[in-house]
Every structure is written in C-alpha cells, then in structure tokens.
Amino acid sequence: MRKEQADLEWRDEAIPVSTRFDDPYFSLDNGLAETRHVFLAGNDLPARFAPGFHIAELGFGTGLNLLTVWKAWEEAGMDSPLRFTSFEAFPMRADEMARALAAFPEVAPYAARLVAAYAEDPRLRSLEGISAEVVIGDARETLPQQSFAADAWFLDGFSPAKNPELWNAALMAQVGRHTRAGGTAATYTAAGFVRRGLEAAGFDVTRVPGFGRKRHMTRCTMPSDMPSP
C-alpha cells in the first residue's frame, strides 16, 4: 500500500487546509473548543474515563483531538495511560503539525511531546505518557485488520461531501464491529447517509446541537445488550 502525504495550504498563516479535500483541519472559529464540544462532550467524556479506556479515531490530522483528550485524561487524575488508536491515510509532516498546533498554547506541553515523537516515528511508537498509535493507510483496508473494541470513537474525517469514502456504510459497519457494548461514537457531521450507516452498524443515533456555525452533530451509543466483538 503506497503511503501518501498531506497536501496543505495555510489560511491566515495558521489554519491548515487540505488541498486534496478542500477542507480545513479544524474549526475556523476555535478548533480546541470544537474538539471539546464534539468529541469529548459527544462521548460523555471525561465522565466515562476509567483505567484501560480506549479511544479510536478516523482522521488523525494535526493530532489536536489526541492532545485535547490526553490533557483531559491527566486533569481527571487518571494515573494509567489512555489508549488511543487513530487511522490516517494522508499524514502531515512533523513541521506542519508543529505549525498547526502552535495556534493552541493551552496544549503546548503536550504538543511538544507529540511532535517530537511524531518526527521520530509517525506511528508514535516512542510517545511517552499515553499508549497511542497512528495506523497509516486507507482505513477501509486497515481497520478490518484490527482486533480491538473501542470504548469511544472520534469520527473526524474530512467533510462527507468531499471525502465520502471515509464515511461509507461498509466503514461505519467496521466502526460498529470495533466498538464495545455500551460504547459511543461522535462526529461533527449530521449528514443523513452517515447517520443511516451508523444506525445500520448497530448504533443508537441522535442528532444534537453542533459547534459554532454547525447546526447539528451526531452522537451514537452501542446498546449495552449488543454482544461485544
């Protein structure tokens, strides 16, 4: 499988935009607040944190979601590593990541550790303080090869209108198969075909208020009586 790289341009010298998908990597309003609203609150975090908690993600991007939940994990007093598995087809270079994350001084100490580890190995095998892994390649091929069952999913690919492959029913079915009974998923999008794919994957799906200019987002729960993968 051929490894690709992100193709970027910069808006206002700070916000990376994918030229391949014509979509910014984080909110033009406030990327950190968006992550907290969509992915933390959308998965009822940090209230659900527990030892061994496992978050999986579609779309690693700048790593901002990882930094946000890592900070929340430590602030919640968790003394064991959070497990975080992300899937990324078009990884950034380390210098691009550092430039993007400079917009968020609140997570700067975590960003410095992330960028240093990422520069050494984009799969993050040298990152200390968190059990993190970036699986590089097309998630439609790489996710079915995994054996984990996540407690929560961050579904953060580029816009479904511009990157439909990362939101198709087959991939959402794989997300469902890799979710524990009682597990959750959240995404900024409320696109109908995405919600239908998540419902077909076994989730109970709810449309809730989105962040900023987005009217709606999606929260999902895998019923607790579903057999775990």
Side-chain angles (χ1 to χ4, degrees):
M1 181 165 29
R2 186 166 60 95
K3 293 181 180 179
E4 301 280 1
Q5 293 289 322
D7 295 322
L8 305 180
E9 61 184 17
W10 296 85
R11 188 170 300 172
D12 299 328
E13 299 299 316
I15 299 172
V17 178
S18 168
T19 57
R20 180 179 280 106
F21 299 106
D22 187 29
D23 210 23
Y25 277 80
F26 44 75
S27 170
L28 303 182
D29 296 325
N30 186 322
L32 188 56
E34 180 183 41
T35 290
R36 287 171 171 155
H37 178 89
V38 174
F39 298 115
L40 270 64
N43 282 287
D44 195 22
L45 304 176
R48 293 175 55 226
F49 284 160
F53 199 82
H54 186 183
I55 295 172
E57 174 185 59
L58 294 183
F60 184 67
T62 65
L64 180 61
N65 295 340
L66 168 61
L67 300 184
T68 306
V69 73
W70 187 4
K71 184 174 187 291
W73 180 263
E74 292 194 350
E75 289 177 345
M78 305 303 296
D79 57 7
S80 60
L82 172 69
R83 186 177 175 194
F84 192 96
T85 305
S86 188
F87 296 82
E88 176 59 61
F90 305 104
M92 287 186 167
R93 300 193 314 265
D95 62 305
E96 294 170 330
M97 180 180 290
R99 179 178 176 182
L101 294 175
F104 306 104
E106 188 174 341
V107 294
Y110 298 90
R113 292 154 71 183
L114 172 62
V115 171
Y118 187 86
E120 184 174 329
D121 184 350
R123 294 165 294 183
L124 298 184
R125 292 179 179 176
S126 64
L127 183 60
E128 297 182 1
I130 187 170
S131 179
E133 178 185 12
V134 177
V135 181
I136 298 175
D138 189 329
R140 293 173 295 178
E141 300 174 17
T142 58
L143 178 54
Q145 300 172 20
Q146 304 293 316
S147 60
F148 67 77
D151 296 288
W153 275 91
F154 296 174
L155 304 179
D156 196 22
F158 290 112
S159 164
K162 298 174 180 179
N163 184 205
E165 295 84 359
L166 203 62
W167 302 95
N168 67 34
L171 187 53
M172 294 303 98
Q174 287 294 327
V175 169
R177 292 188 187 107
H178 289 80
T179 304
R180 293 185 186 279
T184 61
T187 177
Y188 64 86
T189 184
F193 83 94
V194 173
R195 289 188 286 113
R196 290 189 293 272
L198 289 164
E199 288 172 345
F203 287 101
D204 292 332
V205 177
T206 306
R207 191 174 68 169
V208 298
F211 176 80
R213 291 171 287 182
K214 294 182 183 295
R215 291 184 60 194
H216 300 110
M217 57 169 275
T218 302
R219 296 180 62 172
C220 309
T221 302
M222 185 63 70
S224 57
D225 58 355
M226 292 287 288
S228 292

